[in-house]
């Protein structure tokens, strides 16, 4: 059974409502492969989720960039998984390295969030990835395995999980991983899933790459056997996102 190509656009903390509307109209006019070939999900900041959900073409879907670790309540400033479900937002990005680094989200906290979001019926893009220092010290796979293990310890059904491998040194730097570097980690991660979860989960779970993906480098990355798509930051705010979606072909 093939893994459907997945392209996510993480808009991070960017955009005014006018800018968001402009991005939506570019996306709505783009010619892209059918939903049988590629699954497209864009992730605007929370405040723009209803706007994007209402105005985006129906074959593209919407993700939140985070959600709270348990049922909502007295957690000022947080947004709960239940609220996303209530607004029919199907996807959420969890464990992004910016949140891990800047907000101190631990592997265990991210694992808890993934499990809770899934329990509420959300689909999850779970991010993992090493820093430059960790790569240079040869611990890339240990780091990525520990991040994945914290999720695997709590998650039994992987149907609604996409793993995004995003090396921190490649995010927003213009320094994209080479296709061989991406393939190496994706293949190792799949082996890890095979050994620690199941052969079926390893074969069916999409592992997408994120970090300075662009219209210029996406085709070669997409050609790697274990690269099942992308999580795109900066380029997802530009018309070139359409070219990246076309890399699915
Ligand atoms: O989540 C996507 C991301 O962190 C990659 O960002 O700007 O390097 O494509 P960018």
């Amino acid at each position: 059974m093939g893994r459907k190509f997945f392209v996510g656009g993480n808009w991070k903390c960017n955009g005014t409502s006018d800018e968001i509307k402009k991005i939506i109209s570019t996306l709505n006019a783009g010619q892209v492969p059918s939903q049988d070939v590629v699954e497209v999900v864009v992730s605007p900041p929370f405040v723009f989720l209803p706007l994007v959900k209402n105005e985006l073409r129906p074959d593209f879907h919407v993700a939140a960039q985070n959600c709270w670790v348990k049922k909502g309540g007295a957690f000022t400033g947080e947004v709960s998984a239940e609220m996303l479900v209530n607004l029919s937002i199907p996807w959420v990005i969890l464990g992004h390295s910016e949140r891990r680094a800047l907000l101190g989200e631990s592997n265990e906290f991210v694992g808890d969030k993934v499990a809770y979001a899934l329990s509420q019926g959300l689909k999850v893009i779970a991010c993992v990835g090493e820093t430059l220092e960790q790569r240079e010290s040869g611990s890339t796979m240990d780091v990525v395995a520990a991040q994945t293990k914290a999720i695997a310890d709590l998650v039994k059904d992987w149907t609604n999980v996409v793993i995004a491998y995003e090396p921190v040194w490649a995010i927003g730097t213009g320094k994209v991983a080479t296709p061989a570097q991406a393939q190496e980690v994706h293949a190792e991660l799949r082996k890890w899933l095979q050994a620690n979860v199941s052969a079926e989960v390893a074969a069916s779970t999409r592992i997408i790459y994120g970090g300075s993906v662009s219209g210029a480098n996406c085709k070669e990355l997409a050609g790697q056997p274990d690269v099942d798509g992308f999580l795109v930051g900066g380029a997802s705010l530009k018309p070139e996102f359409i070219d990246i979606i076309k890399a699915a072909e």
Side-chain angles (χ1 to χ4, degrees), residues 2-92:
R3 297 180 295 269
K4 192 194 286 185
F5 206 77
F6 184 102
V7 180
N10 177 6
W11 296 353
K12 306 193 178 184
C13 189
N14 289 296
T16 61
S17 50
D18 283 349
E19 286 164 352
I20 298 282
K21 282 180 193 161
K22 229 168 141 189
I23 296 171
I24 296 172
S25 52
T26 304
L27 294 180
N28 287 353
Q31 300 276 343
V32 297
S34 82
Q35 285 187 88
D36 299 336
V37 175
V38 63
E39 187 165 6
V40 180
V41 174
V42 296
S43 189
F46 279 117
V47 292
F48 298 126
L49 280 170
L51 166 71
V52 177
K53 173 138 187 71
N54 290 337
E55 298 199 3
L56 192 66
R57 55 196 290 170
D59 55 333
F60 288 7
H61 301 286
V62 180
Q65 295 176 17
N66 181 39
C67 67
W68 185 230
V69 66
K70 55 184 170 185
K71 189 169 164 50
F75 305 106
T76 303
E78 290 295 336
V79 172
S80 69
E82 293 84 352
M83 292 170 190
L84 299 178
V85 171
N86 180 239
L87 287 192
S88 302
I89 304 299
W91 286 91
V92 62

Side-chain angles (χ1 to χ4, degrees), residues 10 12 96-98 127 166 170-173 210-213 231-235:
N10 177 6
K12 306 193 178 184
H96 193 281
S97 64
E98 285 150 14
C127 304
E166 300 206 315
I171 295 177
T173 57
S212 296
V213 174
L231 187 56
V232 185

Side-chain angles (χ1 to χ4, degrees), residues 174-217:
K175 216 179 140 190
V176 64
T178 64
Q181 282 173 321
Q183 169 59 23
E184 185 185 18
V185 178
H186 285 223
E188 285 293 320
L189 200 41
R190 208 176 295 289
K191 260 196 232 158
W192 188 94
L193 290 172
Q194 173 151 18
N196 296 279
V197 183
S198 72
E200 205 212 337
V201 166
S204 60
T205 301
R206 284 158 310 169
I207 305 176
I208 63 176
Y209 168 80
S212 296
V213 174
S214 69
N217 61 34

